[in-house]
Structure formats: C-alpha cells, structure tokens
Amino acid sequence: MSANSWYSQDVLLILDDQNSPLADLCAQVVPADLHYGASSDPDPSLLAATTIMIGAPDKIARFLSDAPALKWVQSTWAGVTPLINHPRRDYQLTGLKGVFGQVMSEYVLGWILALERQILDYAQDTSWNQRAPVTVLGKRLGIMGTGDIACDVALAAQALGLRVTGFNRSGHCPPVFESCFTYEQRLDFAKDLDYLLCVMPNTPETDDLVSTDLLHALAPNAVLLNTGRGNCVDEDALVQVLDSGHLRAAVLDVFNEEPLPSSHRFWPHPQVYVTSHTSAPTNIEAAVRVFAQNLERFLKNQPLLHVVDFAKGY
C-alpha cells in the first residue's frame, strides 16, 4: 500500500527503542485492518500518514511537527512534560495511569521502613548493638498529589498504621486520605509531618513548592521523599534545612537535570539518597494494556481514558 492511500484511514506509529518489547506487544493488540509501523527513526512518508502514536514523550516530541494528520498520542510515561512543552495542541494526548501504584508503594514504604527501623545501620554493624524499638505506627505521612499513584501509596501506608493526609490544587479529598489541603494551606498541610512524599506533576504551579518554610514546618527529624518531578523541590532550601539538622534525610528520585551531574552536591551529601529515577519504571506490558483499551475506544469514536489537559499539564 502506498503512503498516499493511507491518508483516508488511521495509521499507527509505534516509536520504540532497540531491544524494547513495545512494538511486538502492540502488534498483538492492533486490529488486522489497522496499518501500523514501528521505528525509532520513522521515514517521512510514514510520519505524514500517522494518525496515532504510542511511545515515550521525549521521542514523540521530536516528530510532532512532521505528523500533520496526527489525532491521538498515547504516552508510555506517567509524566508528559516534553509534549506539554511542545507548542502543538491539535491532538488528544492520553497519559499512562493505573499501572504504577504497586511499584511506587514498594519504593516509598521500603525507604520509610529502612530509615525508621534503621535496617541498614543494623546490617552494617560489626558488633552486637541493640537499639531502642521504633515503629511507623501512628506517624504522619503527607502526600503532595492525590492521583491514582498517591491513593495506592496512601492505602498501603495505612495498612502499616500510618496516618495519611493529602495535598492538591482543589482540596478534593479521596476517601483514602484522612484530610486534604489546598496550595493556599500548604504550611498547615506540612505541619508536624513525619514523612513528606511529593508525587506532583511538573507545572509552573508546582515550582519550588517544597520551600524553606514548608520544610521547617515538618516535624523535627522528618524525611522527604520526591518521586514526582524535580521542579517541586527547592534544592538550595533542602540542603540548608538538612544541614541545619531539622531533617533526617531526603530520598530523591527525580531532579531538574537528569542524569544528575556527577559534580552535584547531592551525591556526597550524607543525608541524601539518590535513586536515579528508578522508583516506578514503566511496565511495558501494562502500558500496552492501557493502550489497547484506548485504541478500541478511539476506533469506535468513544471518549478516551486518561486524557491530558494541556492547560493544566497533566
């Protein structure tokens, strides 16, 4: 079939990497009558015909201007910042949701338990050293962001006896949270929290939300965890408050600049744990299941799931 004859029907472009299973898995859910191609560097004729794309937002952003017929993009990331930052808006963008809760819960609670129970300290002892018993029971976890990932983490945290409060722009409180606070109430939200988890999107509203005053509002010896986006944390403020002794530790998975430069002050800081954007890697099989649901909806002209609001950035 020639490229010109594709323009009268939908064409799927799978932007994959070498050794990625994305193309093979997508091929299993694509209807027989839907034309598709898979490439990390698609040729102009395929791009000109493409109406549907699936792939990582940073890769898709490179080709948006070369796909005039594009109608819908399915992201394989939770975050879609590269596409939000692109000026094009005449297509539907759907995010990847409902697939990260388990792994994020494991990451967050694993770190909280490791730090609270001093698991690594015990493991590194070279002599018998019994410490006073500690527990997370009754301690307070505040989560900045109340989307599906945050709700899964909150539910898992409650199973360990943690009290969980939320923070979002509207103040709407999902049932899994004890209470929720708005941006205007951020210091009330932070007051006396033992653990602060950030899972916020990258938007102008979220820049430096974790500031000096917010960090000082946390309980003494509190722990900060950031698994959302690096823009949410004021790095200068964090280092200052860590050095003051008010915070116990910062577990940081995301940063304004990635990879984090080897010269960055976070690497040698004794109270900072850098985890190199590994808290919740994409499960490609789960991503393709979400894509398959949306593809069926798209081909039936039904509303898509997890549509991104370009104005809000998520």
Side-chain angles (χ1 to χ4, degrees), residues 29 54 72 74 287-297:
V29 302
I54 178 173
W72 165 43
Q74 174 66 60
V288 171
R289 287 196 294 271
V290 173
F291 169 66
Q293 289 179 298
N294 263 338
L295 181 61
E296 181 178 2
R297 287 170 170 263

Side-chain angles (χ1 to χ4, degrees), residues 1 40 66 267:
M1 176 171 288
S40 60
D66 301 315
W267 289 112

Side-chain angles (χ1 to χ4, degrees), residues 101 104-105 108-109 112 140-158 162-169 172-174 176-183 186 189-190 193-201 209-210 214 218 223-228 232:
M104 187 64 80
S105 297
V108 171
L109 296 180
I112 287 176
R140 298 185 59 217
L141 166 65
I143 305 181
M144 302 184 86
T146 57
D148 63 295
I149 293 175
C151 287
D152 284 345
V153 174
L155 187 62
Q158 286 182 346
L162 285 157
R163 298 175 55 201
V164 189
T165 54
F167 173 93
N168 57 35
R169 66 200 306 268
H172 169 72
C173 197
V176 74
F177 294 94
E178 285 189 5
S179 58
C180 287
F181 297 80
T182 65
Y183 284 27
R186 64 190 189 91
F189 158 75
L193 291 175
D194 299 292
Y195 314 103
L196 173 62
L197 169 64
C198 306
V199 285
M200 301 293 282
L209 271 177
V210 180
L214 186 140
L218 302 177
V223 174
L224 167 70
L225 304 99
N226 187 17
T227 63
C232 190

